[in-house]
Structures are given as structure tokens and as C-alpha cells.
Amino acid sequence: MVNPQTGLPDPAGGPSTSPSTSPPARRRLLARLRLGLAELVLRVGRPSRRGRLTRGPGLRRGSAVRLRRGPAVRDLLDEALAGVAARPTRLILTTLGTVLGIAALVGTLGLGQTAAGQITQRFDLAAATRVVVQPEDKGGQEGEAATQLPWDAPDRLARLNGVDAAGTVSALDIGDDMVRSVEGLDGQKTGYALPVLAGSAGLFDAVRASLKTGRFFDAGHDRRGDRVVVLGKHAAEKLGINRVDSQPAVFIGDQAYTVVGILDAVSGRAELLDGVIMPNGAAKTEFDLESPDAVEIRTQVGAAQLIAGQAPVAIEPNNPSAIKVDAPPVQGGVRRGVESDLNALFLLLGAVALLVGGLGIANVTLLSVLERISEIGLRRALGAARRHVAVQFLVESVIVGFLGGLLGTAVGVLLTIGVSWGRDWTPILDNRLAIGSPLLGALIGLIAGTYPAWKASAIEPITALRGT
Amino acid sequence: MTATAVALPAPVVEMIGVRRFFPGPPEVQAIREVDLVIGQGEYLSIVGPSGSGKSTLLHLLGLLDNPTGGVYRLDGVDTSNLRERRRAVLRGERIGFVFQSFHLLDHRTVLENVALSMVYVGVPRKERLARARVALERVGLAHRMEFAPTTLSGGERQRVAIARALVAEPSLLLADEPTGNLDTVNAEAILEVFDELHAEGMTLAVITHDDQVSRRAQRQVRIVDGTLQW
């Protein structure tokens, strides 16, 4: 015979050891029947015990007791995998629809998450805690005396819970006066037309100012009306001042001011960097400043909206509507806006692409069933039951769907990363999305493969083996 | 050889009054009242012109089709009342098919093609490959194991098919026009393999319209219009 070890079955026939189903085995079988789909798949291929028992008593041949089971699950998977791998070009074309669909879904959701995360981040860093208060446009209320902010507005605001710092800021009208660093020196006679501003001591804290060198002026300078200034870094460059330890002076018109510090950076009010800032006290005496132009407020995180509502009342209890407040927009609104605008369309596109992808898989699998009729017949002749054939084609289309899902996820993730890179964003992607998408592809394959698999299992081996 | 073979103790095939009618106007009586016994180790040929019902008989013998009436016992197992699932198992375990058109899978190697016949019987993978190698050596194709079937000659392909049919150790080797697609030299080689198998005790049933092929068998049965003639 073919295999010397096994050889021909003993014709004399050994004692018939036809397997009797013992009670525990039967119980196990029943328990197994109650289990779910996974167990069902595992059970595929095992011959039913009832079938074995139908063997007649005339059974004599030794081969009749060969205790063989059906195909192992792994073998069925191997067969399906080989079936898929046999036509690589077709495999790629078949997965294309699913790849596009999943890529659209993952890309849309990923970019949506990334964009939303980005907006939140930017607002948190700078603008989300900035509130600016100023009088309503004077032109708006004709005839009435223009509303003026009180000098003690920062103190009133500081009493509100949620305000970290507050300070006034005003632009000074210096007429035709120029700003010079040294009086009478050549080339400096005319000086520069720099903006001159006045602020309270709390201003620097409110705008998150940092110093290049020196110090800020404080409430004492303000109260005494000391003629000191802090220079913005661009103004300092123009005036040629880069250190303050020698107490350099700048001249505004003919009046000298001692430079105490140079600003390096501020947030929100960038004009401070271009200007010369003096305390309110000096501005009142030298330039007749009547009231502050605006108050810069730095709030605690999340308190901006609250402070925006309270600030006008704190400053002008009699006529809060005369105060104009600039506050950051509500974050949730922005995020929701981004998600609904962008995503709805792309999600729809993704869903359509997935539908088309699923139909593509169904189509190609059906085609492949028709093409492989003789293979199906052969498998049936080799002992495959209908369900083995069905499972093979079902698994093949699940593999195709899963591969499409995997590729699509990769493309979607790359898309998210690419766009984020282009816009200097930090890509944000939900892990569940990356894991779930290939599974979604597999599910689509499963659904798409159901009809072709049923069709394949219904093919009669006789028709399949005839001819060719 | 004549009906004395019936007396053998354990017939592989036992058909009693088997009929196969195809319904629908007009009703086709492809097989009418066939009694056939194939003893163990017998080498039988079934000859007949086309349209005589020999393909139908082959399908019935191979459990690919159900008889309309009568009893068919394979290895003593009455197959008439078996469910499809059970018939598939029996088919995989007991019958080896050799087809006229080989029916090899083009995308798989020769070795994999042979090993395939043990997949649905539940032989573990390692054993499958080992046995497939032995079977291929047996039919003289040890040097072609990793080849694709498309690169082989017709005779070689049929030898692969024979190796595939044998490797699951069937009780009955069922060949349908095994030399139909082969030239005389290759056909002769295939028939020699059959002779050897017969000498080793294999039970063979060869269905053919070719008297040359038929004559090689130990016993010949002629089928005409759905009935057997001795």
C-alpha cells in the first residue's frame, strides 16, 4: 500500500470497537451545543456521533473503526487563506472599496479628533483666560457723557473670584514729541515716533509679560508719579538700549524717564513690545490722562465666561451695559461646530464607500465561486460537507474584508498624521478606532460573503465535476 | 471472471436493485435495476458507450448521487438513509476519485494537491505531508513535489491525481475515463500503475468506453441503457 506504516486495513477484521457514546461524552456534546458562535466554528467538521452509530452490525472491516474526525479549524483557515492568496491582483482590487471606505472613516474621525484637540489646546494656552474690558464706543451714545473706566477698576476686578491679575492699559497722546535715548546726540535729534502707553502695576502680570532685563515698575512708582518707563523689546532695539544696570534714560519730548526694565514677551497685547510704558501716576501728571482705555484681565482656567459676565457690574454697577467685554468664545461650541461641519459629509462618503466595498467583495466572491465550481466539486468528492465549502468562502471574504480594513486603517492614520504634520498639529487618534476599523472591515466581509458562501455550498458535486 | 466474485466474504460494494431516474418530462431512466458486487481486491471495469448511464453509475458508486431506489452498501454500511453530512465523511474516508480531467488545483503545489485529500478526513498536517510524499514517490513523482500542476505533462498530472486518491487509504479507487485525456504512452503508464495497485490488493473500479483499457481489468462489466450485462 501507499503507506507502509498504516498499510491496508486488516481484512480479517478486528473486534468492532465502534465508539459507544458514553454518558459524560454525551453531556459534553450537549454542553457544547449550547455554546456560542466560536464553538460552532470549532465544531464544524466534526462528524456527528449519530452518523457513526448508524453503521450496521455487519460491519467487519478494521478500517471501519478508524477514529477520524473532520478537518481541523486551522486546516479550513489554511485552505481559505490559500484560496485568497492564489489571486493576489484580484485580492488587491477587491479590497480597494473597503480600503477607501475605512480610510475615509478613520481619516475623518482622526482629523476631527485632532482638530478639536488643537483648538482646545490653543485656547487653553493663551486666549482662554484673557478678558479685556473697555468702555462702549463713545460714538454710540450721543449726547451722553462718555463712560470712563475708574482708576480702581483693577482693584475691583481683583476681588472677583476667578481673576488672577488685572491691570489698566492706555495709549498716551504725545503729540509731535519724539522718543530719544540721548538728548542732542547726532542722528538722535529727531528720535522715533514710538507709541507711548500707560499702565498700572498689575498690567504686566495680566498680560503674562516676561522681562529681558531689569524689573517692572510697581504700585509705589505709580503712586509717587515717578518718571520711570519699561521698554518693549522692539522699542529698546530702536533706541539702542540693551541693559538697565546703568540706569539709562529716554526722552519723551524734553522730559527724561529712567528705564527700569525691558519686556521680552507678552501675550494678547503685542503693541506693548513696540512701545514705551510708564506708570499711570506719571501719565496723569505729564500727559493729563483722565481715565484708562482698557483693563486687561487674566482669569483662572475656565473662569473667563464667568468673569466676562461679572466684570461690567463690578466696574460700572449703575450702567453695566456701557462696558464692552471681549472674552473667548465658548469652547464646546467651537468643537461641536468643527465636528458637525467636517465630519457629517466625510462620514457619509465613508459609509457609501464601505457599502460599495461590501458589494464589491460580494460580487467578486460570487464570481470566484462560479469560477471555482470544479474546485468545489473536487472538495466535495474529497469528503468536504456543504458547510466546509460554505465556511471556506465565508472565511475568504472575511479575510478580504479584514485586509481591506487593515489597509484602510493604515491609510487613514497616515492621512491624519500627514495633515497634522502639515499644519503643525499634534495628531490625536482614539485607540478604539484603530483597533475597531479592521474588525469593521472583517464584519463587512462576513456580511458580503454570506450569499456567495450559501451559493457555493448549494453546488452539487456532480454538476461541478462534469466535463471540462 | 464471473459472478463468483459475489461469494467473497466482505464485498466493498454491494448494489441490490439500484435505480436512478431523473424526473421531469420526459423521465430519464439512467440506471434501472442494477445489481453489482465488487469484492475486496477486485479490479473491475465498467464499459459502455456514452449515454449508457455509466457516469450516473459512477456518481452513485462514489456517493455523489442518491439512488431513486434499491440498496447500496459500501463496506457493509447501508448508504441509502444517510444524511448528506455523513455521506461526505464516508466519501472522504472510503473512496478515492480519479477523474478524466484530473481536477488539480492550479494554484497549489503538487504536494499540497495530494495532501488536500486528507484535509476533510482530519489527518493532522504533518502526517498529511509525510504521507503525500510517500504517495508521490510511489507514483514516481518525487522530483515534482514542489511544482505547480500546470507545469506537468498530462500523464504526470494523472499520476498526481492517483497519488491524491490513494493517500487517504480508500476502500475503493474509482476512476472515470482515467486515460481519456492522455496519449497511448502515458495511458499505458497509468494502466501499469493500476495493475500494480491491483497486485497490492487495492479495490479498483474503472469506468471507460475504451475496450483497450477495459481489457486490463480482472473482470469486465458492460453497461447498456442503464442495465448491466455480464
Side-chain angles (χ1 to χ4, degrees):
Chain A
M1 248 319 275
V2 168
N3 189 340
Q5 271 122 33
T6 40
L8 256 187
D10 179 15
S16 172
T17 51
S18 180
S20 59
T21 316
S22 58
R26 193 169 277 281
R27 225 174 293 136
R28 246 180 286 130
L29 186 72
L30 285 172
R32 213 187 277 150
L33 280 171
R34 264 182 257 122
L35 291 178
L37 185 72
E39 193 62 22
L40 196 78
V41 172
L42 285 174
R43 266 179 50 77
V44 159
R46 285 183 198 157
S48 72
R49 279 160 202 270
R50 256 183 62 196
R52 287 209 177 269
L53 291 174
T54 55
R55 273 187 195 161
L59 191 59
R60 307 252 287 282
R61 296 179 42 130
S63 66
V65 256
R66 274 183 277 186
L67 272 174
R68 278 180 181 162
R69 310 158 119 208
V73 175
R74 228 206 93 185
D75 289 330
L76 288 179
L77 291 181
D78 280 353
E79 288 303 313
L81 211 56
V84 170
R87 297 160 190 85
T89 319
R90 174 183 295 184
L91 172 66
I92 290 166
L93 290 175
T94 312
T95 55
L96 217 55
T98 323
V99 171
L100 289 178
I102 297 279
L105 280 183
V106 172
T108 307
L109 293 177
L111 281 176
Q113 280 169 356
T114 301
Q118 237 42 51
I119 289 160
T120 315
Q121 221 170 4
R122 195 182 300 155
F123 276 41
D124 281 351
L125 278 175
T129 55
R130 183 186 178 209
V131 176
V132 181
V133 176
Q134 55 199 79
E136 193 66 60
D137 284 342
K138 282 156 191 171
Q141 291 149 316
E142 234 171 294
E144 276 182 53
T147 310
Q148 292 188 334
L149 292 176
W151 288 112
D152 64 346
D155 296 332
R156 296 189 195 187
L157 290 168
R159 285 195 285 272
L160 296 176
N161 187 17
V163 172
D164 274 352
T168 66
V169 61
S170 319
L172 297 179
D173 181 12
I174 56 171
D176 295 333
D177 286 350
M178 292 289 174
V179 180
R180 291 165 288 140
S181 49
V182 182
E183 194 182 17
L185 241 153
D186 286 345
Q188 281 261 326
K189 271 182 184 161
T190 46
Y192 302 93
L194 295 174
V196 178
L197 304 140
S200 66
L203 174 68
F204 300 107
D205 192 10
V207 297
R208 300 167 190 269
S210 61
L211 280 168
K212 199 172 227 169
T213 180
R215 53 165 296 189
F216 299 121
F217 55 74
D218 58 26
H221 293 120
D222 192 356
R223 199 166 48 247
R224 291 188 299 270
D226 289 345
R227 283 196 279 271
V228 293
V229 290
V230 170
L231 300 178
K233 90 178 153 185
H234 303 308
E237 258 170 48
K238 277 188 183 164
L239 295 169
I241 295 169
N242 50 28
R243 44 194 298 183
V244 296
D245 45 3
S246 57
Q247 296 192 313
V250 293
F251 295 84
I252 301 171
D254 294 329
Q255 189 60 257
Y257 296 82
T258 309
V259 178
V260 294
I262 297 172
L263 287 181
D264 188 36
V266 296
S267 77
R269 204 168 261 274
E271 67 258 38
L272 290 178
L273 294 179
D274 296 321
V276 179
I277 308 134
M278 65 178 70
N280 283 334
K284 278 187 247 179
T285 51
E286 301 296 331
F287 297 98
D288 303 324
L289 183 64
E290 287 175 6
S291 69
D293 287 352
V295 182
E296 284 276 347
I297 306 169
R298 180 165 63 82
T299 73
Q300 285 167 13
V301 174
Q305 293 299 320
L306 178 77
I307 298 304
Q310 292 176 344
V313 185
I315 293 169
E316 194 71 55
N318 294 327
N319 187 16
S321 61
I323 305 294
K324 194 177 113 190
V325 181
D326 284 337
V330 182
Q331 277 179 33
V334 175
R335 190 185 301 192
R336 241 176 280 127
V338 168
E339 279 181 357
S340 60
D341 289 354
L342 247 162
N343 289 12
L345 185 69
F346 279 97
L347 287 181
L348 196 70
L349 278 176
V352 170
L354 276 186
L355 189 71
V356 173
L359 286 176
I361 294 178
N363 231 331
V364 174
T365 310
L366 201 58
L367 181 76
S368 134
V369 166
L370 295 179
E371 237 181 35
R372 288 156 69 187
I373 280 182
S374 97
E375 178 191 330
I376 294 167
L378 173 75
R379 287 179 188 276
R380 294 293 300 279
L382 294 178
R386 287 184 193 284
R387 65 216 152 108
H388 298 140
V389 174
V391 164
Q392 167 157 6
F393 281 93
L394 205 56
V395 171
E396 283 189 17
S397 84
V398 166
I399 290 173
V400 171
F402 181 73
L403 280 179
L406 215 56
L407 271 174
T409 308
V411 171
V413 169
L414 285 178
L415 197 74
T416 306
I417 291 173
V419 172
S420 302
W421 181 74
R423 296 212 183 172
D424 264 344
W425 285 352
T426 310
I428 298 170
L429 202 71
D430 198 334
N431 282 340
R432 286 170 300 178
L433 189 67
I435 296 165
S437 306
L439 295 181
L440 179 65
L443 182 71
I444 287 165
L446 183 73
I447 295 167
T450 307
Y451 175 67
W454 174 78
K455 200 86 175 145
S457 74
I459 288 172
E460 288 295 334
I462 305 175
T463 29
L465 292 170
R466 188 176 295 154
T468 47
Chain B
M1 277 291 186
T2 55
T4 49
V6 179
L8 279 173
V12 176
V13 168
E14 203 177 355
M15 277 185 163
I16 304 162
V18 166
R19 301 180 298 279
R20 180 65 172 108
F21 301 159
F22 293 102
E27 190 188 59
V28 178
Q29 304 194 341
I31 298 288
R32 347 173 172 171
E33 291 293 325
V34 161
D35 297 305
L36 176 67
V37 174
I38 306 175
Q40 208 189 316
E42 254 197 293
Y43 181 3
L44 176 85
S45 72
I46 301 169
V47 241
S50 55
S52 58
K54 57 182 191 313
S55 286
T56 309
L57 185 59
L58 172 99
H59 293 147
L60 291 173
L61 281 170
L63 292 175
L64 294 169
D65 197 4
N66 276 320
T68 313
V71 176
Y72 173 27
R73 287 197 198 94
L74 178 66
D75 275 349
V77 181
D78 186 356
T79 63
S80 344
N81 298 317
L82 291 184
R83 295 196 314 183
E84 174 52 37
R85 191 179 284 193
R86 182 76 198 112
R87 293 164 63 83
V89 173
L90 210 55
R91 191 157 61 219
E93 286 181 352
R94 310 288 171 110
I95 295 171
F97 288 95
V98 175
F99 304 100
Q100 178 178 0
S101 50
F102 322 133
H103 282 300
L104 299 174
L105 300 186
D106 292 343
H107 298 287
R108 315 290 283 275
T109 65
V110 163
L111 186 67
E112 284 172 338
N113 264 288
V114 174
L116 183 70
S117 73
M118 288 173 284
V119 165
Y120 297 103
V121 182
V123 178
R125 184 182 167 77
K126 267 193 183 159
E127 192 188 330
R128 280 208 303 269
L129 291 178
R131 279 167 64 175
R133 280 196 192 93
V134 174
L136 281 168
E137 279 162 20
R138 167 71 187 74
V139 296
L141 287 176
H143 57 300
R144 293 277 191 260
M145 286 185 191
E146 298 303 328
F147 281 50
T150 43
T151 62
L152 304 188
S153 74
E156 284 176 321
R157 288 191 211 186
Q158 197 57 298
R159 267 145 65 194
V160 174
I162 291 172
R164 182 182 62 195
L166 290 177
V167 77
E169 294 171 11
S171 312
L172 173 67
L173 186 75
L174 214 52
D176 181 13
E177 300 282 7
T179 58
N181 282 359
L182 302 178
D183 58 41
T184 46
V185 178
N186 276 315
E188 179 54 31
I190 295 300
L191 292 175
E192 269 165 25
V193 173
F194 282 177
D195 287 344
E196 285 169 37
L197 289 172
H198 173 55
E200 286 167 19
M202 189 73 198
T203 311
L204 295 108
V206 177
I207 289 173
T208 181
H209 68 277
D210 186 346
D211 283 338
Q212 296 280 7
V213 175
S214 170
R215 234 169 280 141
R216 298 289 284 258
Q218 176 190 13
R219 178 158 74 104
Q220 288 125 42
V221 170
R222 180 163 291 275
I223 180 166
V224 177
D225 291 338
T227 44
L228 295 185
Q229 297 174 348
W230 311 92

